[in-house]
Each structure stands twice: as C-alpha cells, then as structure tokens.
C-alpha cells in the first residue's frame, strides 16, 4: 500500500435512503476520507432470495464514491448469511458443545464446514465479482469479516466428519493418534477414526490433545473457506490486494498462519479507554499485527471514534484521545486508520455505537475530531517508505497459547496475555518497540529475544532459540517454558525440554503462589524486590544465580539465573518478578533500556521511531492527562505543527509530536 495514509471507515449505505448518499460523499471529501469498506453485511440486500440478485444499488454507490476519488475496500458479504439460507438449509447453522443449534437473527450464524453454506458463499462471491470486479473505485478486497468472531467453534456433525479427515491427514493411523493424545489415560483408546468426536460436552476435562487439535483444525477450517473466496477474487482481479480484518490477540485463530496469506494485514482495535492499561495493550496489539507478516503492509480496519455499545458501561475516548490513538497506530507502522462506522445507524443492534457521523450529524464534537484528523493525515505523505525497526523480539505462538491455557494445569489462571503484558509493559514505558516472532522465525536481527511462558515448544524450535543465543543473542526466558512438545506431551527431567540450556538451573517442580501472596527476591548486592503468582522449585545448575527467593516456602532457591551459552547469554526468570525486579533484568541489556528522555518525562508518554532511507520520524504521544516535557537534545523538525524544535518538546495532554530528523545528522 503506497501513497496517502488511508482514512475512512465501514460504509453501510444500504441502511439509508439514497438521498443520504450524496451528503455522505460530500462529508467524506470534507473529512479527507479516501477509503471506505462497503458491503460487509449486505448479503440479504445483494441476494434477497436464493439466486435472485439486486446489484443496482451497489453499482450506484461505487460510482458515487469513485467519482469523488474515494477508494473502496469491497467486502464479501459471507459473515452474515440471509435468513433464507438457514431456513432452507438448516445445517448452515452452527452447533455449540452441548448440541444446541444457533438461530439466525443476529450475525456470524454459519457453520464453516457446512457444504450448503460453502456453496452459497462461493456463489455470492462469484456473482459479486462478475458484477463489479472491474469497477475502478475498488482498491482492496475485504474477505468476510472478523472470521470466528462470535462462533469460533462449531461442534456439529459436519465438523465431526471434517475433523476426522483432518486427523487422518495429520496422523495417518489411529495408532499414531492414540500415541499423540495419550489415550491410554482414562480408557480413551480409539479403535478407528470414526469414533473420534469434536470436544463436545463431557463430564470433566476433555483429552488435552483432542482439545488442542480441535483448535488447530478449526483454524484450518476457516482458513480453507477464506482460500475459496480469495481464489475467486484473485482470479477476477489479481492486481487488487486482499485483506481480512483481524482482532489483535484473538485466541481462536492463528493469525501468523493467516497473515502470510494476505496482501495487506488489517485489524480491529477496540481497546477500552476506561482500562488504565489500554494504551499499552493497544501498542502491543499494533506491534503484533505489524509483525504477523513482516513483508506486508498493515492497517487499522476498525476503531471507534468515541465509544462502543457492547460493554456493560461504554466509556468514551476523551477529547484528543481518538487522534492520539490513531497516531499510535501510524507510529507503529499502520498504512491506514479506519473506523466502524461512517454514519451511525438508526436501527439495529449497533445504533448506539458511535460513528464518524453521529445521530446529530456534524454538530457532535466527534465530527470536528474526525474531519480534523483526516485533513491532518492527508498532509503526512512524507512518511512514505518508512517503517519500524525493532531491536527486541517477543516469541509468541498460537499453539502455545492454546496449550498454555488448556485446563488442568498447576495455575489455571495463568493467562498468555498477562504473561505478554508483564514482559511488554516496561518496554512500552521505556519507549522501546517490540516485534512479535513465531518460535521458528529467524531471530538474528534482534538484539534481545523475550520468551514469555513458551510452555509448548517443539524440539526443533527450541534448538533454534538456543542457537540464536549461542551465536551471540540475548534471551530473557520466563518460567513455565519448554514444558511440552507439539502434542502436549511433557518433556521429562528437570523442566525446560529443548530450552534447558537457556534455563541455567534445574526446575525440578513448580509452585504457583497462593493468590495475593508476594515473596521477596534478594539480588547479589543485597537489594530486595518482590514477586508473586509463581515460583519454580529450582536447584542450582550451570548458570549464575543473580537473585534468590528470600521469603516463603521456597526461600534460598534460584529466582533469576544467568546462563552463558556460546557467544550469548540468557536470563531465566523463575517467578513473576515485580516491576522493580524486571527492571533490573532489563537494565542488563542495552536494547531493553529504551530512551532515557521518555523515562524522565513521566508516565504515559509513548515513543516510537519510524525509519526511512533518509529520515527518522520519532513519534511522541502523550497519553496522560498532564503536560509532559521531553528533553530532545537532537532537535528536529516537528511535522504536525510544522516547526523546527530546540532541545525540548512540550506535549499537552493527548497531544502528539512527530519529529523528523535527517539520518545523516540532526533536524533538517
Ligand atoms: C466489530 C465488527 C463491526 C462492528 C464493530 C463494533 O467487531 O467487525 O461490524 O460490529 O465490531 O464495535
């Protein structure tokens, strides 16, 4: 995606009489809108009865937008089938784990393994393509919408059959499947694939291997449907990029696998402005999405201008916050920032979700913010060719997330996203940017690799991580890493499996700490910090113990261990260190120490640097409600205010600065 930063939103003109469309387009032009997503939920409008089509309205809308120079991200309508489809073909409706069938009347009520659904989804996409694929306004294909969002798992008979076929391909024989799932336990041995079921309602824990494979299979089933739609779109117009909108840290889908199939990666971000961690979580979300396909452009497909309507209490973004959060995305590399939705609906379940054009039209302060930002972004073409160069990587995989959070563990409240935020938070505060990497990715370009609870790791991937350190890298590995292989089968001996060389001590057992309990950790210089949640029961190994547990039942045991491995080193964290403890570890690695001016400015300042061949662009965003002053010795040219800076920059609450510097020297 090149050229202007894309700006706009979901446009649902079918909800409005056509008289409103002219005003829509006039306002879009006024607000600098250059890309709108059309048709996401239009199946019932496009095909009101089976094989009866109505495309005239879509032609008209595309013409109007095209004539105004507004690009279209044209969606396939398959995320919300029309009522006639499930009324005629009941197996289109998904089934939950208890065997109850969903009904139509909402959205996302489809079973992705239903042949009836698949055939009709293909047909409507083919029809869409034959009607409008050559329209000049179309800039991007938006396949479906938020795959898996409301019904990530279906347990119907179609799924049972497809699951068995998937297992047969994966294991070849039922004996292999029995071995992988450990079915000697609880008399679960299968005699043939036909006996295997999706993990439907059971009296207690389902076999963890079955559960894990069902997650893998369900991900693949959605992906297969996506491939069918993409094939139709690409055949018609191979020149138009394809996207589908993700939801950041959405557990059911392995977005690494998806992103490599996309031309543009896009995401929807609805961070809760009432959450004190929202800006950190949102930064982490964007770092993830940017990293999913490191060779593709990415953008924000949806965010809300003000508030959502689906939480219990829907706090708004405060004035200026929508702009600050939009720049947060641009800072982290986004090629576009779009909203849900253009005009607030009058009816339907989302009529109180805010929109770029509110119920009160341009009288709402939201309009001034939306139009102001659109015009401002229009002038930022100078960011062209720049990207984010992270020096720190965080290892993350969906298979690990699925296995880590499966039930019946020492700590069933151990959450992947908690572990990620625990290790990410200090970096956000220090102005250091992070790339997320799959465990099998090449890590050589990173100075430090963070490994939060990589519970599931294959022998091969573990060896790659070890070799990264041997060749001079630095790793910080947290507790509960290297516990099982890809089948969820435990590596015997002290825990760590293929990661043992990075652990430096012998983790002979694990001990989650009682809720609310804090233990002390004593460092070599006698300083004490705290830890909570977890303590490994470890004995000394080949590494150097930097800190020990100093209180509670595990006093004296290693808490932080440094292992020298080849040319590099690894730090192992045997408990969940508090902020002060983690800071001590991060201070040991220059790439983790961040930008001192950001530390000094006070909390709430986000810093990200985009780099191009000639320039650096330092984004400074003040998410706090107080003015923050940063000392920026190297000066530079501030793009938003259009002025040369001295040695300091003062940021009002929610304000943003983008400081451009020549790569050869200070500001130009
Ligand atoms: C997204 C969805 C949109 C809209 C929005 C509301 O999940 O893609 O269609 O429902 O949420 O926040």
């Amino acid at each position: 995606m090149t050229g202007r930063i894309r700006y706009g939103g979901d446009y649902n003109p079918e909800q409005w009489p056509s008289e409103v469309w002219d005003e829509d387009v006039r306002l879009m032009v006024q607000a600098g809108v250059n890309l709108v997503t059309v048709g996401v939920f239009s199946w019932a409008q496009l095909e009101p009865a089976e094989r009866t089509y109505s495309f005239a309205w879509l032609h008209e809308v595309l013409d109007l937008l095209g004539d105004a120079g507004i690009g279209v991200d044209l969606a396939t309508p398959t995320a919300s089938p029309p009522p006639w489809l499930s009324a005629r073909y009941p197996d289109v409706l998904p089934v939950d784990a208890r065997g109850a069938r969903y009904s139509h009347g909402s959205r996302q009520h489809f079973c992705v393994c239903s042949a009836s659904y698949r055939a009709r989804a293909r047909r409507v996409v083919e029809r869409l393509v034959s009607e409008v694929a050559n329209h000049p306004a179309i800039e991007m294909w938006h396949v479906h919408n938020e795959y898996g969002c409301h019904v990530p798992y279906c347990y119907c008979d179609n799924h049972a059959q497809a699951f068995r076929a998937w297992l047969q391909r994966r294991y070849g024989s039922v004996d292999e499947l029995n071995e992988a799932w450990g079915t000697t336990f609880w008399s679960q041995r299968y005699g043939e694939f036909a006996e295997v079921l999706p993990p439907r309602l059971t009296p207690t824990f389902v076999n963890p291997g079955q559960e894990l494979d069902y997650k893998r299979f369900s991900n693949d089933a959605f992906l297969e449907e996506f491939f069918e739609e993409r094939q139709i779109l690409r055949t018609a117009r191979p020149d138009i990029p394809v996207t589908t909108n993700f939801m950041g840290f959405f557990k059911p889908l392995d977005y690494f696998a998806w992103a490599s199939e996309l031309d543009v990666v896009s995401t929807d971000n609805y961070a809760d402005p009432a959450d004190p961690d929202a800006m950190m979580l949102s930064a982490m979300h964007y770092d993830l999405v940017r990293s999913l396909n490191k060779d593709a452009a990415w953008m924000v497909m949806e965010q809300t201008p003000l508030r959502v309507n689906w939480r219990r209490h829907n706090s708004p973004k405060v004035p200026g916050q929508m702009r600050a959060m939009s720049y947060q995305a641009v800072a982290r590399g986004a090629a576009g920032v779009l909203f849900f939705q253009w005009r607030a609906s009058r009816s339907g379940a989302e009529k109180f979700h805010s929109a770029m054009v509110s119920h009160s039209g341009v009288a709402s302060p939201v309009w001034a913010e939306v139009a102001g930002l659109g015009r401002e972004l229009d002038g930022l073409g100078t960011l062209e060719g720049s990207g984010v160069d992270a020096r720190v990587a965080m290892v993350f995989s969906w298979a690990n997330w699925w296995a880590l959070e499966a039930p019946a563990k020492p700590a069933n409240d151990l959450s992947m996203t908690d572990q990620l935020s625990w290790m990410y938070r200090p970096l956000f505060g220090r102005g250091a940017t992070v790339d997320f990497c799959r465990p099998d990715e090449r890590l050589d370009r990173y100075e430090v690799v963070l490994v939060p609870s990589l519970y599931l790791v294959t022998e091969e991937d573990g060896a790659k991580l070890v070799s990264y350190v041997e060749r001079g890298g630095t790793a910080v590995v947290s507790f509960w890493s290297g516990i099982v292989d890809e089948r969820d089968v435990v590596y015997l001996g002290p825990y760590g499996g293929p990661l043992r060389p990075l652990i430096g001590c012998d983790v002979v057992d694990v001990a989650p700490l009682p809720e609310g309990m804090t233990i002390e950790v004593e460092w070599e210089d006698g300083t004490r910090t705290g830890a909570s949640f977890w303590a490994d029961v470890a004995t000394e190994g080949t590494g150097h113990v930097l800190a020990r547990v100093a209180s509670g039942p595990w006093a004296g045991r290693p808490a932080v261990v440094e292992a020298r491995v080849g040319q590099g080193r690894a730090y192992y964290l045997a408990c969940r260190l508090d902020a002060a403890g983690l800071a001590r570890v991060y201070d040991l690695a220059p790439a983790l120490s961040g930008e001192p001016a950001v530390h000094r400015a006070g909390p709430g300042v986000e810093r990200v640097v985009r780099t191009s061949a000639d320039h650096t662009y330092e984004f400074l965003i003040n998410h706090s409600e107080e003015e923050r002053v940063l000392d920026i010795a190297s000066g530079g040219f501030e793009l938003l205010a259009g002025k040369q800076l001295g040695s300091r920059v003062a940021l009002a609450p929610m304000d943003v600065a983008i400081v451009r510097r020549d790569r050869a020297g200070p500001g130009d």
Side-chain angles (χ1 to χ4, degrees), residues 41 107 145-146 245 268 270 302 308 310 340 350 353:
F41 297 113
R107 65 173 176 184
N145 191 64
E146 295 186 339
N245 47 341
D268 300 346
Y270 291 100
E302 295 179 21
V308 298
W310 41 262
F340 176 83
E350 297 191 312
H353 192 291

Side-chain angles (χ1 to χ4, degrees), residues 54-189:
S54 152
F55 276 83
W57 68 272
L58 183 61
H59 285 289
E60 199 181 327
V61 167
L62 294 181
D63 288 348
L64 273 175
L65 292 164
D67 290 348
I70 298 166
V72 173
D73 167 39
L74 190 65
T76 65
T78 51
S80 198
W84 61 256
L85 183 57
S86 35
R88 271 198 177 181
Y89 309 97
D91 82 308
V92 158
L93 293 168
V95 170
D96 74 7
R98 304 182 78 98
R101 214 173 258 284
Y102 289 85
S103 305
H104 61 240
S106 177
R107 65 173 176 184
Q108 292 253 356
H109 46 279
F110 65 92
C111 159
V112 80
C113 292
S114 149
S116 323
Y117 167 77
R118 291 275 277 271
R120 273 124 204 118
R122 282 195 303 269
R123 202 170 61 199
V124 74
V125 176
E126 274 158 5
R127 186 66 194 225
L128 180 75
V129 156
S130 73
E131 286 280 344
V132 298
N134 291 319
H135 198 287
I138 302 174
E139 218 183 89
M140 189 155 66
W141 295 119
H142 179 296
V143 180
H144 201 92
N145 191 64
E146 295 186 339
Y147 272 97
C149 169
H150 304 303
V151 189
Y153 302 108
C154 171
Y155 301 84
C156 73
D157 291 341
N158 293 328
H159 267 72
Q161 229 178 3
F163 184 40
R164 288 175 199 132
W166 184 94
L167 290 169
Q168 209 144 12
R169 287 195 298 276
R170 184 173 175 88
Y171 294 109
S173 73
V174 81
D175 289 345
E176 280 297 313
L177 171 114
N178 280 315
E179 178 67 26
W181 288 5
T183 56
T184 47
F185 184 78
W186 281 355
S187 183
Q188 291 170 349
R189 194 191 152 277

Side-chain angles (χ1 to χ4, degrees), residues 18-78:
S18 56
E19 300 83 77
V20 179
W21 302 350
D22 287 328
E23 196 206 30
D24 283 336
V25 172
R26 187 178 59 78
L27 290 176
M28 284 178 191
V29 171
Q30 206 176 310
V33 165
N34 54 32
L35 185 67
V36 290
T37 304
V38 175
V40 180
F41 297 113
S42 302
W43 195 342
Q45 265 70 36
L46 297 172
E47 191 179 3
E50 187 160 17
R51 291 180 191 275
T52 304
Y53 299 100
S54 152
F55 276 83
W57 68 272
L58 183 61
H59 285 289
E60 199 181 327
V61 167
L62 294 181
D63 288 348
L64 273 175
L65 292 164
D67 290 348
I70 298 166
V72 173
D73 167 39
L74 190 65
T76 65
T78 51

Side-chain angles (χ1 to χ4, degrees), residues 264-383:
V264 175
V265 180
S266 61
T267 194
D268 300 346
N269 180 14
Y270 291 100
D272 184 358
D275 177 352
D277 265 345
M279 296 311 117
M280 184 273 290
L281 293 172
S282 171
M284 190 162 92
H285 176 150
Y286 292 149
D287 278 352
L288 172 76
V289 174
R290 183 191 61 248
S291 317
L292 289 170
N293 177 344
K294 295 177 179 73
D295 299 319
W298 75 274
M299 58 181 280
V300 178
M301 186 59 81
E302 295 179 21
Q303 60 169 345
T304 180
L306 186 66
R307 53 163 170 68
V308 298
N309 70 328
W310 41 262
R311 294 197 171 94
R312 196 181 69 78
H313 195 78
N314 300 292
S315 300
K317 293 176 178 168
V318 302
Q321 195 169 23
M322 180 279 281
R323 175 174 175 265
M325 291 183 71
S326 301
Y327 277 115
Q328 174 175 54
V330 175
R332 288 176 192 274
V337 186
L338 275 64
F339 297 87
F340 176 83
Q341 62 174 328
W342 165 252
R343 186 181 280 281
S345 312
R346 290 191 72 188
S347 29
E350 297 191 312
K351 56 184 173 295
F352 294 114
H353 192 291
S354 43
M356 299 167 82
V357 180
S358 321
H359 290 145
S360 57
V362 299
S364 162
V366 167
W367 175 252
E369 285 208 47
V370 159
L373 177 62
R375 285 192 296 265
E376 195 174 60
L377 287 173
D378 212 20
L380 275 184
T382 46
L383 295 176

